[in-house]
Coordinates of all heavy atoms in Angstrom, one line a residue:
L1 N -11.4 3.5 -11.8 CA -12.1 2.9 -10.7 C -13.6 3.0 -10.9 O -14.4 2.1 -10.5 CB -11.7 3.7 -9.4 CG -10.3 3.4 -8.9 CD1 -10.0 4.4 -7.8 CD2 -10.1 2.0 -8.5
R2 N -14.1 4.0 -11.6 CA -15.5 4.1 -12.1 C -16.5 4.3 -11.0 O -17.5 5.1 -11.2 CB -15.9 3.0 -13.0 CG -15.1 2.9 -14.2 CD -15.6 1.9 -15.1 NE -14.7 1.9 -16.3 CZ -15.0 1.3 -17.4 NH1 -16.1 0.6 -17.5 NH2 -14.1 1.3 -18.4
T3 N -16.5 3.7 -9.8 CA -17.5 3.8 -8.8 C -16.9 4.3 -7.5 O -15.7 4.1 -7.2 CB -18.2 2.6 -8.5 OG1 -17.4 1.6 -7.9 CG2 -18.9 2.0 -9.8
V4 N -17.6 5.0 -6.7 CA -17.2 5.4 -5.4 C -16.8 4.2 -4.5 O -15.8 4.2 -3.8 CB -18.3 6.3 -4.7 CG1 -17.9 6.6 -3.3 CG2 -18.5 7.6 -5.5
E5 N -17.6 3.1 -4.6 CA -17.3 2.0 -3.8 C -16.0 1.4 -4.2 O -15.2 0.9 -3.3 CB -18.4 0.9 -4.0 CG -19.8 1.3 -3.5 CD -20.6 2.2 -4.4 OE1 -20.2 2.4 -5.6 OE2 -21.6 2.8 -3.9
A6 N -15.6 1.3 -5.4 CA -14.3 0.8 -5.8 C -13.2 1.7 -5.4 O -12.2 1.2 -4.9 CB -14.3 0.7 -7.4
A7 N -13.4 3.0 -5.4 CA -12.4 3.9 -5.0 C -12.2 3.8 -3.5 O -11.1 3.9 -3.0 CB -12.9 5.4 -5.3
F8 N -13.3 3.7 -2.7 CA -13.2 3.5 -1.3 C -12.5 2.2 -0.9 O -11.7 2.2 0.0 CB -14.6 3.5 -0.6 CG -15.2 4.8 -0.4 CD1 -14.7 6.0 -1.0 CD2 -16.4 5.0 0.3 CE1 -15.3 7.2 -0.7 CE2 -17.0 6.2 0.5 CZ -16.4 7.3 0.0
A9 N -12.8 1.1 -1.6 CA -12.2 -0.1 -1.3 C -10.7 -0.1 -1.6 O -9.9 -0.6 -0.8 CB -12.8 -1.3 -2.1
Q10 N -10.3 0.5 -2.7 CA -8.9 0.6 -3.0 C -8.2 1.5 -2.0 O -7.1 1.2 -1.5 CB -8.7 1.1 -4.4 CG -7.2 1.1 -4.8 CD -7.0 1.3 -6.2 OE1 -7.8 1.0 -7.0 NE2 -5.8 1.8 -6.6
A11 N -8.8 2.6 -1.6 CA -8.2 3.6 -0.7 C -8.0 2.9 0.7 O -7.0 3.1 1.4 CB -9.1 4.8 -0.5
Q12 N -9.0 2.1 1.1 CA -8.9 1.4 2.4 C -7.7 0.4 2.4 O -6.9 0.3 3.3 CB -10.2 0.6 2.7 CG -10.2 0.1 4.1 CD -11.6 -0.5 4.4 OE1 -12.5 -0.3 3.7 NE2 -11.7 -1.1 5.6
E13 N -7.5 -0.3 1.3 CA -6.3 -1.2 1.1 C -5.0 -0.4 1.1 O -4.0 -0.8 1.7 CB -6.5 -2.1 -0.1 CG -5.4 -3.1 -0.3 CD -5.3 -4.1 0.9 OE1 -6.3 -4.4 1.6 OE2 -4.1 -4.4 1.3
I14 N -5.0 0.7 0.4 CA -3.8 1.5 0.3 C -3.5 2.0 1.8 O -2.3 2.0 2.2 CB -4.0 2.7 -0.6 CG1 -4.0 2.2 -2.1 CG2 -2.9 3.8 -0.4 CD1 -4.5 3.2 -3.1
A15 N -4.5 2.5 2.5 CA -4.3 3.0 3.9 C -3.7 1.9 4.8 O -2.8 2.2 5.6 CB -5.6 3.5 4.4
R16 N -4.3 0.7 4.7 CA -3.7 -0.4 5.5 C -2.2 -0.6 5.2 O -1.4 -0.8 6.1 CB -4.5 -1.7 5.2 CG -5.9 -1.8 5.7 CD -6.5 -3.1 5.3 NE -7.7 -3.2 6.0 CZ -7.8 -3.7 7.3 NH1 -6.8 -4.1 7.9 NH2 -9.0 -3.8 7.8
R17 N -1.9 -0.7 3.9 CA -0.5 -0.9 3.6 C 0.4 0.3 4.1 O 1.5 0.0 4.5 CB -0.3 -1.1 2.1 CG -0.9 -2.4 1.6 CD -0.5 -2.7 0.2 NE -0.7 -1.7 -0.8 CZ -1.7 -1.6 -1.7 NH1 -2.5 -2.6 -1.8 NH2 -1.7 -0.6 -2.5
Q18 N -0.1 1.5 4.0 CA 0.7 2.7 4.4 C 0.9 2.6 5.9 O 2.0 2.8 6.4 CB -0.1 3.9 4.1 CG 0.6 5.2 4.5 CD 1.9 5.5 3.7 OE1 2.1 4.9 2.6 NE2 2.6 6.5 4.1
I19 N -0.1 2.3 6.7 CA 0.1 2.2 8.2 C 1.1 1.1 8.5 O 2.0 1.3 9.3 CB -1.3 2.0 8.9 CG1 -2.1 3.3 8.7 CG2 -1.1 1.6 10.3 CD1 -3.5 3.1 9.1
E20 N 0.9 -0.1 7.9 CA 1.7 -1.2 8.2 C 3.2 -0.9 7.8 O 4.1 -1.4 8.4 CB 1.2 -2.5 7.5 CG -0.1 -3.0 8.1 CD -0.8 -4.0 7.3 OE1 -0.4 -4.3 6.2 OE2 -1.8 -4.5 7.8
A21 N 3.4 -0.2 6.7 CA 4.8 0.1 6.3 C 5.4 1.2 7.1 O 6.7 1.2 7.3 CB 4.7 0.6 4.9
R22 N 4.7 2.1 7.7 CA 5.3 3.3 8.4 C 5.4 3.1 9.9 O 6.1 3.9 10.6 CB 4.5 4.6 8.0 CG 4.8 4.9 6.6 CD 4.3 6.3 6.3 NE 4.9 7.4 7.0 CZ 5.9 8.1 6.6 NH1 6.5 7.9 5.5 NH2 6.4 9.1 7.4
L23 N 4.6 2.2 10.5 CA 4.6 2.0 11.9 C 5.4 0.8 12.4 O 5.4 -0.2 11.8 CB 3.2 1.9 12.5 CG 2.3 3.1 12.3 CD1 0.9 2.8 12.9 CD2 2.9 4.3 13.0
Y24 N 6.1 1.0 13.5 CA 6.8 -0.1 14.2 C 5.7 -0.9 15.0 O 5.0 -0.3 15.7 CB 7.9 0.5 15.0 CG 8.6 -0.6 15.9 CD1 9.4 -1.5 15.3 CD2 8.3 -0.7 17.2 CE1 10.0 -2.5 16.1 CE2 8.9 -1.7 18.0 CZ 9.8 -2.6 17.4 OH 10.4 -3.6 18.2
K25 N 5.6 -2.1 14.7 CA 4.6 -3.0 15.3 C 3.2 -2.4 15.2 O 2.6 -2.0 16.2 CB 4.9 -3.2 16.8 CG 6.2 -4.0 17.0 CD 6.4 -4.3 18.5 CE 7.6 -5.1 18.8 NZ 7.8 -5.4 20.2
P26 N 2.7 -2.3 14.0 CA 1.3 -1.7 13.8 C 0.3 -2.6 14.5 O 0.4 -3.8 14.7 CB 1.1 -1.7 12.3 CG 2.0 -2.8 11.8 CD 3.2 -2.8 12.7
P27 N -0.8 -2.0 15.0 CA -1.9 -2.8 15.6 C -2.7 -3.6 14.6 O -2.5 -3.5 13.4 CB -2.8 -1.7 16.2 CG -2.6 -0.5 15.3 CD -1.2 -0.6 14.8
D28 N -3.5 -4.5 15.1 CA -4.4 -5.3 14.2 C -5.4 -4.4 13.7 O -6.4 -4.0 14.5 CB -4.9 -6.5 15.0 CG -6.0 -7.3 14.2 OD1 -6.1 -7.1 13.0 OD2 -6.7 -8.1 14.8
L29 N -5.3 -3.9 12.5 CA -6.3 -3.0 11.9 C -7.7 -3.6 11.8 O -8.7 -2.8 11.8 CB -5.8 -2.4 10.6 CG -4.4 -1.7 10.6 CD1 -4.0 -1.3 9.3 CD2 -4.6 -0.4 11.5
D30 N -7.8 -4.9 11.7 CA -9.1 -5.5 11.6 C -9.9 -5.3 12.8 O -11.2 -5.4 12.8 CB -9.0 -7.0 11.3 CG -8.5 -7.3 9.8 OD1 -8.8 -6.4 9.0 OD2 -7.8 -8.3 9.6
A31 N -9.3 -5.1 14.0 CA -10.0 -4.9 15.3 C -10.4 -3.5 15.5 O -11.1 -3.2 16.4 CB -9.0 -5.3 16.4
L32 N -10.1 -2.6 14.6 CA -10.4 -1.2 14.7 C -11.6 -0.8 13.8 O -11.9 -1.5 12.8 CB -9.2 -0.3 14.3 CG -8.0 -0.6 15.1 CD1 -6.8 0.4 14.5 CD2 -8.2 -0.3 16.5
E33 N -12.3 0.2 14.2 CA -13.5 0.7 13.4 C -12.9 1.5 12.3 O -12.0 2.3 12.5 CB -14.4 1.5 14.3 CG -15.1 0.7 15.3 CD -16.0 1.6 16.2 OE1 -16.0 2.8 16.1 OE2 -16.8 1.0 16.9
T34 N -13.4 1.2 11.1 CA -12.9 1.9 9.9 C -14.0 2.8 9.3 O -15.1 2.4 9.2 CB -12.4 0.9 8.8 OG1 -11.6 -0.1 9.4 CG2 -11.8 1.5 7.6
S35 N -13.5 4.0 8.8 CA -14.5 4.8 8.1 C -13.7 5.4 6.9 O -12.5 5.6 6.9 CB -15.0 6.0 9.0 OG -14.0 6.9 9.3
V36 N -14.5 5.5 5.8 CA -13.9 6.0 4.5 C -14.9 7.1 4.1 O -16.0 7.0 4.0 CB -13.8 4.9 3.5 CG1 -13.2 5.5 2.2 CG2 -13.1 3.7 4.0
E37 N -14.3 8.3 3.7 CA -15.1 9.4 3.3 C -14.4 10.3 2.3 O -13.2 10.4 2.3 CB -15.6 10.3 4.5 CG -14.4 10.9 5.2 CD -14.8 11.6 6.5 OE1 -16.0 12.0 6.6 OE2 -13.9 11.8 7.3
V38 N -15.1 11.0 1.5 CA -14.6 12.0 0.5 C -14.6 13.3 1.2 O -15.7 13.7 1.8 CB -15.4 12.0 -0.8 CG1 -14.9 13.2 -1.7 CG2 -15.3 10.7 -1.5
V39 N -13.5 14.0 1.3 CA -13.4 15.3 1.9 C -12.6 16.2 1.0 O -11.8 15.8 0.2 CB -12.7 15.2 3.3 CG1 -13.6 14.4 4.3 CG2 -11.4 14.6 3.2
M40 N -12.7 17.5 1.3 CA -12.0 18.6 0.6 C -10.9 19.0 1.6 O -11.3 19.5 2.7 CB -12.9 19.7 0.2 CG -13.9 19.4 -0.8 SD -13.3 18.8 -2.4 CE -12.7 20.4 -3.0

């Protein structure tokens, strides 16, 4: 991935797919506020 920006973008896409796969009738994620951060 090389950059934090690339890692964040990929993580956001992975998160979208995870929510859509695990929830029955997931909400429109584009309408929600999104944050991405590195945490321990």
Side-chain angles (χ1 to χ4, degrees):
L1 292 170
R2 297 189 182 188
T3 67
V4 172
E5 293 80 12
F8 279 10
Q10 183 167 336
Q12 190 171 352
E13 184 56 35
I14 290 168
R16 288 176 169 280
R17 289 194 310 255
Q18 181 70 10
I19 291 169
E20 290 168 354
R22 292 194 56 100
L23 294 181
Y24 174 73
K25 294 185 179 179
D28 176 12
L29 297 176
D30 291 329
L32 303 178
E33 293 180 350
T34 306
S35 67
V36 184
E37 61 186 339
V38 174
V39 295
M40 298 296 288

